[in-house]
Amino acid sequence: MTNPADLTLAQLRDALKAKDVSSLEATDAYLTRIEKAKALNAYVTVTADKARDMAKASDAKLAKGEGGPIEGVPLGIKDLFCTEDVLTTAGSHILDGFKPRYESTVTSQLWRDGGVMLGKLNMDEFAMGSSNETSFYGNVVNPWRREDGGNTDLTPGGSSGGSSASVAARLCAAATATDTGGSIRQPASLTNTVGVKPTYGRVSRWGVVAFASSLDQAGPIAQDVRDAAIMLKSMAGHDPKDSTSVDRPVPDYEAVLGQSLKGLKIGVPKEYRVDGMPDEIEKLWAQGIEWMKDAGCEIVDISLPMTKYALPVYYIVAPAEASSNLARYDGVKYGLRAKEYTDITSMYEETRAEGFGDEVKRRILIGTYVLSAGYYDAYYLRAQKVRKRIFDEFTDAFSKVDLILTPSAPSAAFGLGEKTNDPVQMYLNDVFTVTANLAGLPGASVPAGYDRQGLPLGLQLLAKPFDEETMFKGLFALEQAAGANKRPNEWWA
Amino acid sequence: MGAEPTKLLQGTTGDWEVVVGLEVHAQVSSKSKLFSGASAEYGAGPNENVSLVDAAMPGMLPVINKYCVEQAIRTGLGLNAKINTWSRFDRKNYFYPDLPQGYQISQYKDPIVGEGEVEVEVEPGETITVGIERLHLEQDAGKSIHDLAPKESYVDLNRSGVALMEIVSKPHMRTAEEGAAYFTKLRSIVRYLGTCDGNMEEGSMRADVNVSVCRAGSYEKFKETGDFSHLGTRTETKNVNSIRYVKQVIDYEARRQIEVLEGGGEIDQETRLFDVKSGTTRTMRSKEDAHDYRYFPDPDLLPLEFDQAWVDEIKAGLPELPDAKKHRFINEYGLSAYDASVLAADKASAAYFEEVAKCGDGKLASNWVTGELFGALNKADKDIETSPVSAAQLGELISLIKDGTISGKIAKDVFALMFEGEETGSPADIVEKRGLKQVTDTGAIEKIVDEIIAANPEQAEKVKEKPKTMGWFVGQVMKASQGKANPQAVNEILKKKLGVE
């Protein structure tokens, strides 16, 4: 029989229910793969014993014909989610040895529904990065390589690089991820996986280490659209412990897959044609428009002129919130405390100097600056006003269209180290994704094709707030039309 | 209103005016904290009342406590203030070990309560109105303990996250007495409302005292224009936790600032600390060291919104407040403004008084409560809740005076017997048992009068020339009757027998 770790989440789920395979078998298959894939550096922590225990418990339920919607399915968890008694690092040195005494709402819902935890996935430090190169635990390597005969290690995208790489390399059936400016969709685009960032408020932030509270939203990275739909159903839902969580029922996203798109209006914003974008991406986008037409959609040219301000606004709002959110890492209560210090101020300084990496420090500095007396109005307040206009612009656009189609990222996977010396170049990776975070909209990336060098490229769909169902319908249609379901060669194994 | 000139302070170079504003922190009487479910009770062991949110564990989020919001609205209504149905929480960012999040959640730009005003009785006959600038909700910090070990500091997070109401006055107080009276009044209001227990020893209520001085006449210009440049630079003395200390701080700061200015110096806008032992203040943080708090709206919380109907509902359930009670006491019982305010200031005293006043004579009841009772309680270091004489007893005692059963003098004796615990139960029974009933039988009194006049013929002659000396006879008759003779009857009979007009 096939390796259970080669199945999609949906296939594995069905095989488990049919007792064609046990959860323990699937779990062991994944653990074996993880063991062989150290070169990818996708996991920070592998919880093999816990995984086997959970798998056995699932098998017991499955044997009785019981169990939740994803009973026995092995999952990878981005190391930004707090997991009880399991090291939680957020990719940072400053959380050294931190084992929470609580479980995030998202992961507890996954366990409630039968998920099995394989371990914690690598990520950019505090989710700040677009290449997974800011992690204290080292770069994650993209399972995909250029078809040029070279062995250049490429980025799996970021910040959810461990999630995208592990799903692409089948080191878990699916993974949790988070998206503050594109951290689910850009890595998905770079690894031929599906990444879904739901509407702000759809998924609880409780127990997820905060980066920028008004932008952070958790979602899945999965092998295909169906798997993403299954994952999101388990992850989503109202949580009274998160004041920004919205109380509305969670639809069955899987049920809408395959439904007709006839008559849907698809917006195509001209402002998403940016300078220096490879023509392959341009072509893929045009192809995507054709696929949507073929599916019976009407294409509507729209204009989102505020788009050009989205990145500058993001790089004020996100660092501002981060500078405050990260103040709690001070060496007093948990995690790292510098060994040498003379007084409380020097303890703060030494601990934070040692514990945070350069990118995190850069953003704390930017955030502290833009909130400072005398600069608040010029930066933070103005950014919030522009943010409101971006939201209004989308609201207006969505009065005319049902979905918006754009590329997911401005380039395919790039080489590790290629952009690390130029933060602004790195920030440009989020140019297509960041608007959805600023406006709180759902957005998702789906594999749509490959560039000349055989690297995956994704297309993005944006939808109205809480209209993930229409988005999933569109994603499924694109996935079917594109048929971009290649897998990377297992060069690492 | 008091006359302006009395509010001037004399310096060596001329007259000065003092301007005072208070920021009072009142802890909300709530079982749990402002944004977490942890207990807010006082007196638990170190770090026993700490939730994951209070300790700022990664990924923890605040959720507003509706009860605390309701208490803030109640208090706002008690301050006759505007309730903002849309308000917002901000983060005030600074590092300190007892501030686990690295920021305090407070309300900076959009507080839940806006402008209001309170009447403040400063002394008999002098009432001022103090404007309220705002009231906002915020979290308290934990406590750093530095004296448990030579090189280490300890942190107790029990208070971390406890709900505080910060009540900010306008700079409408002009003397130490006014500042103290305002603080007293606030305490009275929150205790009436039950929104804060007002317990200063436990830190439930404390004041940051802002003081500045300016040249005579400048305050009037400020009042006319609202332009703060007419006022002097202010200092803020933090965490003053008694009414007496508030007074001391204002007196000390005013004198110190005048001295500095007259010596050619300048006042620094700074934060100061009050030293209880010396009664002086000293610099805690100069302006240069002032934090840049980098306030911004807390993205973990939605704006705080509620409808007016909820406010109206809360308003309908408010108890009668000290000012309303005071005015009712004046109108209903004919009390003086001062007596009415003294009785109304404390809920228990007011309730006691009203029970006593059921005897039918409010004024007499007020005199007895504020005079005899308060005096005795003070002397015995007791409060009204534990008074040995109940309101019903005192009311009955006053009724006995009014219907002529006993005289005021005898009533005081009976009161003392009850207060000392030598007698309990109904005053009428005590009077009966001890034979203290007033003698109103004119025959009996006449008999005594006749005897005394017969025994003192010279004195009797004198009264005819100097009627005022009749008092001596009154005293003698009262003495002979062991105080039981009705004084009015004694007077009339004496007048008749001694021939006084």
Side-chain angles (χ1 to χ4, degrees):
Chain A
M1 88 163 257
T2 53
N3 183 342
D6 280 331
L7 303 174
T8 65
L9 186 157
Q11 289 165 345
L12 179 59
R13 169 192 65 181
D14 297 344
L16 286 164
K17 285 257 176 342
K19 302 193 186 75
D20 293 339
V21 64
S22 73
S23 176
L24 189 59
E25 285 165 343
T27 300
D28 279 330
Y30 279 115
L31 290 171
T32 305
R33 270 219 181 131
I34 292 167
E35 187 62 30
K36 287 185 194 159
K38 290 220 164 110
L40 301 182
N41 197 29
Y43 279 83
V44 172
T45 305
V46 179
T47 52
D49 292 342
K50 188 180 174 84
R52 291 196 182 96
D53 287 346
M54 290 175 88
K56 283 176 202 159
S58 285
D59 282 334
K61 283 188 189 164
L62 288 162
K64 286 189 271 180
E66 293 169 2
I70 53 169
E71 195 64 54
V73 173
L75 303 172
I77 302 301
K78 187 178 183 179
D79 213 8
L80 201 62
F81 294 83
C82 290
T83 42
E84 195 174 350
D85 294 332
V86 174
L87 181 70
T88 299
T89 70
S92 182
H93 187 28
I94 210 157
L95 276 169
D96 267 12
F98 174 61
K99 290 185 180 176
R101 280 161 48 199
Y102 48 95
E103 187 77 32
S104 79
T105 299
V106 165
T107 47
S108 61
Q109 288 181 184
L110 288 170
W111 315 146
R112 171 202 68 198
D113 285 357
V116 168
M117 179 162 85
L118 291 168
K120 305 295 290 288
L121 297 166
N122 203 344
M123 55 178 286
D124 277 306
E125 185 179 6
F126 284 105
M128 297 176 191
S130 303
S131 64
N132 214 116
E133 291 171 288
T134 71
S135 171
F136 177 72
Y137 297 92
N139 302 338
V140 176
V141 178
N142 195 330
W144 289 85
R145 280 184 166 173
R146 291 179 183 130
E147 291 171 354
D148 58 2
N151 315 328
T152 311
D153 280 344
L154 304 179
T155 172
S159 67
S160 310
S163 305
S164 66
S166 66
V167 173
R170 306 297 195 267
L171 307 182
C172 57
T176 65
T178 61
D179 190 316
T180 303
S183 284
I184 289 176
R185 292 159 289 159
Q186 183 258 12
S189 178
L190 270 48
T191 56
N192 218 41
T193 54
V194 174
V196 176
K197 181 206 95 78
T199 311
Y200 186 79
R202 178 74 284 184
V203 173
S204 170
R205 295 184 298 112
W206 193 89
V208 184
V209 175
F211 162 14
S213 312
S214 74
L215 301 159
D216 296 343
Q217 192 64 196
I221 288 182
Q223 299 176 50
D224 62 16
V225 174
R226 183 174 303 278
D227 287 4
I230 295 166
M231 282 290 283
L232 184 59
K233 181 149 175 41
S234 286
M235 293 170 75
H238 179 237
D239 181 1
K241 290 185 288 190
D242 174 0
S243 306
T244 62
S245 163
V246 176
D247 190 3
R248 52 190 294 158
V250 180
D252 182 356
Y253 302 115
E254 196 184 358
V256 305
L257 306 182
Q259 285 181 7
S260 169
L261 267 63
K262 198 156 270 171
L264 281 187
K265 293 195 176 99
I266 310 296
V268 177
K270 61 175 190 235
E271 289 81 6
Y272 280 60
R273 223 159 252 118
V274 296
D275 289 344
M277 187 164 81
D279 59 348
E280 291 160 304
I281 290 177
E282 184 97 32
K283 267 190 220 153
L284 187 72
W285 192 10
Q287 180 62 64
I289 292 169
E290 289 307 311
W291 289 330
M292 293 312 256
K293 271 190 202 162
D294 294 346
C297 297
E298 184 190 328
I299 304 301
V300 181
D301 287 325
I302 58 168
S303 175
L304 298 165
M306 298 303 286
T307 302
K308 61 174 175 290
Y309 301 115
L311 269 180
V313 165
Y314 175 81
Y315 276 98
I316 290 169
V317 173
E321 294 181 8
S323 70
S324 175
N325 280 337
L326 269 57
R328 66 186 58 198
Y329 308 107
D330 56 7
V332 174
K333 306 166 290 279
Y334 42 73
L336 182 77
R337 180 185 295 176
K339 292 207 168 52
E340 307 270 323
Y341 53 87
T342 51
D343 58 10
I344 183 67
T345 307
S346 90
M347 188 185 101
Y348 289 149
E349 289 170 353
E350 297 302 324
T351 300
R352 289 167 68 83
E354 213 177 292
F356 290 137
D358 287 349
E359 184 59 30
V360 171
K361 284 177 192 160
R362 180 179 294 125
R363 299 204 196 186
I364 290 174
L365 287 172
I366 294 171
T368 304
Y369 180 82
V370 299
L371 290 176
S372 297
Y375 298 99
Y376 180 87
D377 288 359
Y379 292 104
Y380 187 78
L381 197 63
R382 186 172 298 177
Q384 288 294 11
K385 285 179 185 163
V386 179
R387 182 179 181 180
K388 174 71 170 59
R389 291 194 52 186
I390 290 170
F391 174 82
D392 291 343
E393 197 171 88
F394 270 110
T395 306
D396 186 47
F398 277 118
S399 69
K400 295 176 207 124
V401 301
D402 300 293
L403 293 169
I404 292 173
L405 177 69
T406 78
S408 300
S411 75
F414 47 91
L416 289 167
E418 263 175 33
K419 297 187 182 180
T420 40
N421 292 325
D422 188 347
V424 175
Q425 273 304 309
M426 191 67 90
Y427 295 169
L428 283 172
N429 269 286
D430 294 333
V431 65
F432 298 138
T433 46
V434 74
T435 48
N437 300 85
L438 291 171
L441 303 172
S445 176
V446 63
Y450 305 89
D451 74 358
R452 261 175 227 106
Q453 305 186 85
L455 294 179
L457 298 170
L459 284 175
Q460 176 180 239
L461 281 180
L462 303 175
K464 295 171 190 173
F466 296 101
D467 194 14
E468 280 85 0
E469 285 172 283
T470 304
M471 187 171 80
F472 270 112
K473 264 163 54 174
L475 291 170
F476 191 71
L478 285 171
E479 181 180 57
Q480 297 298 305
N485 52 7
K486 284 191 208 167
R487 287 180 52 176
N489 294 321
E490 288 189 49
W491 53 265
W492 59 87
Chain B
M1 295 289 145
E4 287 296 317
T6 63
K7 295 185 176 169
L8 294 176
L9 278 180
Q10 278 178 347
T12 53
T13 60
D15 287 345
W16 297 85
E17 290 185 280
V18 185
V19 182
V20 178
L22 257 58
E23 293 167 28
V24 173
H25 289 89
Q27 182 182 329
V28 177
S29 295
S30 161
K31 285 200 179 71
S32 51
K33 296 182 179 181
L34 184 53
F35 296 111
S36 85
S39 166
E41 299 288 328
Y42 179 81
N47 293 307
E48 283 179 4
N49 292 345
V50 184
S51 75
L52 296 168
V53 175
D54 307 325
M57 299 305 279
M60 292 300 100
L61 299 170
V63 177
I64 186 79
N65 178 337
K66 188 179 175 185
Y67 182 80
C68 294
V69 173
E70 187 179 336
Q71 302 320 302
I73 297 171
R74 280 169 70 84
T75 308
L77 292 168
L79 300 173
N80 309 300
K82 181 176 183 294
I83 306 300
N84 296 319
T85 54
W86 190 99
S87 68
R88 192 157 66 175
F89 288 97
D90 298 282
R91 290 187 185 175
K92 179 180 180 178
N93 296 283
Y94 65 96
F95 282 92
Y96 206 68
D98 61 22
L99 189 74
Q101 296 169 128
Y103 55 84
Q104 176 196 33
I105 306 178
S106 181
Q107 296 190 298
Y108 180 54
K109 279 202 174 132
D110 301 290
I112 183 168
V113 176
E115 292 185 324
E117 57 180 41
V118 289
E119 263 180 45
V120 176
E121 298 74 25
V122 184
E123 52 184 291
E126 193 197 353
T127 298
I128 59 167
T129 301
V130 175
I132 300 294
E133 180 69 36
R134 56 187 282 162
L135 174 155
H136 68 253
L137 279 167
E138 64 183 29
Q139 298 176 301
D140 204 350
K143 196 168 77 180
S144 294
I145 303 149
H146 302 294
D147 53 3
L148 281 180
K151 298 195 88 173
E152 265 116 32
S153 287
Y154 291 82
V155 177
D156 181 356
L157 295 179
N158 282 352
R159 291 191 69 92
S160 166
V162 163
L164 300 179
M165 298 180 283
E166 180 170 331
I167 304 164
V168 182
S169 82
K170 292 187 185 277
H172 285 176
M173 288 151 280
R174 315 294 312 288
T175 63
E177 289 69 28
E178 289 185 7
Y182 165 78
F183 194 32
T184 308
K185 185 59 181 277
L186 272 192
R187 183 167 181 271
S188 162
I189 291 171
V190 294
R191 279 169 57 86
Y192 254 81
L193 292 164
T195 57
C196 169
D197 65 19
N199 192 328
M200 299 196 196
E201 291 86 59
E202 290 175 7
S204 296
M205 227 179 150
R206 49 195 198 258
D208 297 342
V209 183
N210 289 283
V211 178
S212 69
V213 296
C214 56
R215 282 294 182 185
S218 296
Y219 186 78
E220 206 48 46
K221 286 183 198 150
F222 159 73
K223 280 285 255 191
E224 279 164 22
T225 60
D227 181 355
F228 278 84
S229 70
H230 293 296
L231 302 183
T233 304
R234 68 186 163 84
T235 62
E236 179 180 12
T237 304
K238 287 278 198 195
N239 285 329
V240 183
N241 68 346
S242 93
I243 291 163
R244 191 161 58 93
Y245 297 158
V246 165
K247 218 169 181 170
Q248 285 182 16
V249 165
I250 298 168
D251 274 335
Y252 178 81
E253 266 302 294
R255 284 287 165 203
R256 184 188 70 83
Q257 291 184 16
I258 290 169
E259 223 166 89
V260 169
L261 291 169
E262 294 197 324
E266 278 182 17
I267 300 302
D268 296 323
Q269 188 176 335
E270 61 180 6
T271 306
R272 298 179 71 85
L273 275 178
F274 179 62
D275 181 47
V276 177
K277 279 187 202 132
S278 64
T280 61
T281 68
R282 64 186 149 84
T283 301
M284 175 184 164
R285 214 165 41 220
S286 71
K287 197 183 179 184
E288 292 76 52
D289 299 330
H291 294 298
D292 179 353
Y293 290 119
R294 291 172 282 121
Y295 285 100
F296 76 108
D298 191 327
D300 285 332
L301 292 160
L302 301 173
L304 180 56
E305 278 185 278
F306 43 83
D307 48 27
Q308 185 59 37
W310 191 41
V311 179
D312 295 341
E313 196 184 304
I314 294 169
K315 193 171 190 174
L318 286 188
E320 186 183 33
L321 289 168
D323 284 344
K325 198 158 269 196
K326 178 184 100 178
H327 291 297
R328 186 167 61 78
F329 283 3
I330 294 169
N331 295 331
E332 209 171 305
Y333 301 110
L335 305 190
S336 74
Y338 188 74
D339 284 349
S341 76
V342 166
L343 287 169
D346 177 65
K347 209 173 178 173
S349 301
Y352 189 103
F353 159 73
E354 290 215 80
E355 183 63 31
V356 176
K358 284 182 183 162
C359 70
D361 190 332
K363 271 204 98 149
L364 202 51
S366 162
N367 290 342
W368 271 86
V369 174
T370 58
E372 208 65 20
L373 177 72
F374 282 2
L377 288 172
N378 245 336
K379 224 165 148 188
D381 200 21
K382 287 190 164 119
D383 55 37
I384 195 124
E385 275 105 341
T386 55
S387 167
V389 178
S390 74
Q393 283 177 307
L394 185 52
E396 191 185 330
L397 189 64
I398 294 171
S399 298
L400 293 177
I401 302 171
K402 289 195 41 106
D403 67 12
T405 309
I406 54 172
S407 67
K409 166 82 178 55
I410 295 289
K412 284 183 186 179
D413 295 343
V414 175
F415 177 86
L417 290 169
M418 294 192 294
F419 197 91
E420 299 307 328
E422 285 175 38
E423 288 288 355
T424 54
S426 154
D429 293 347
I430 299 168
V431 167
E432 189 64 49
K433 191 176 83 185
R434 295 212 171 212
L436 298 172
K437 257 193 173 164
Q438 190 160 247
V439 179
T440 43
D441 171 3
T442 44
I445 297 172
E446 267 181 47
K447 197 172 158 242
I448 299 170
V449 168
D450 288 343
E451 281 169 18
I452 290 173
I453 291 175
N456 298 283
E458 284 163 37
Q459 285 285 349
E461 277 309 305
K462 219 177 177 183
V463 171
K464 281 167 190 154
E465 291 156 35
K466 283 189 176 171
K468 273 189 182 166
T469 57
M470 194 183 90
W472 180 84
F473 278 96
V474 176
Q476 292 300 310
V477 175
M478 294 306 287
K479 206 169 155 187
S481 73
Q482 290 162 311
K484 286 184 284 185
N486 181 310
Q488 223 175 332
V490 172
N491 261 303
E492 271 164 31
I493 292 165
L494 274 170
K495 274 184 189 168
K496 198 170 72 193
K497 303 237 171 191
L498 291 170
V500 176
E501 281 307 302

